[in-house]
Amino acid sequence: MSMNAELCRLAQEQIGNSDILVNLVSARVRQLNSGSRPLIDAPMLGAANMALTELVEGKMDYELLDEVAPEILTAKTAKKGR
C-alpha cells in the first residue's frame, strides 16, 4: 500500500524539513507496528498513512533530541523532565 500524496503534502507543509518528516513518520510506523495504540480511528489505513494522518490532525507532537532521531510524544508518552 502506498502513502497518500495529499497527506504527504500536508505533513511536509507542517514540518518543513523532509528529512525530519521521514524520520518522524518512520519512528511512528515502528511504534504502530510494534503494537502502539493508534491515535485516530481509521482501521483501514496502513501504518504510514495512519502516522501521517495523526501528524496532520495534530494528534502527536515531536521533539528533536538530535538532528537524526525525533522522539514522538503522544498523550500516553511520559514527557521526560516535565
Side-chain angles (χ1 to χ4, degrees):
M1 182 175 281
S2 62
M3 289 191 294
N4 180 300
E6 181 65 11
L7 285 173
C8 290
R9 185 187 65 75
L10 292 170
Q12 176 63 36
E13 287 177 4
Q14 187 172 340
I15 300 301
N17 182 314
S18 57
D19 293 330
I20 292 172
L21 177 60
V22 167
N23 287 328
L24 182 62
V25 171
S26 296
R28 182 61 179 146
V29 166
R30 281 192 299 278
Q31 287 180 346
L32 290 167
N33 288 336
S34 294
S36 290
R37 186 180 71 78
L39 303 173
I40 59 171
D41 184 25
M44 298 304 290
L45 286 181
N49 283 328
M50 183 151 322
L52 285 167
T53 301
E54 290 175 350
L55 182 63
V56 168
E57 290 184 1
K59 303 290 183 179
M60 70 171 164
D61 198 6
Y62 69 97
E63 183 176 323
L64 291 178
L65 301 176
D66 59 41
E67 292 184 15
V68 178
E71 177 182 355
I72 296 172
L73 304 174
T74 68
K76 301 287 184 184
T77 304
K79 294 180 181 180
K80 297 176 185 172
R82 294 181 194 172

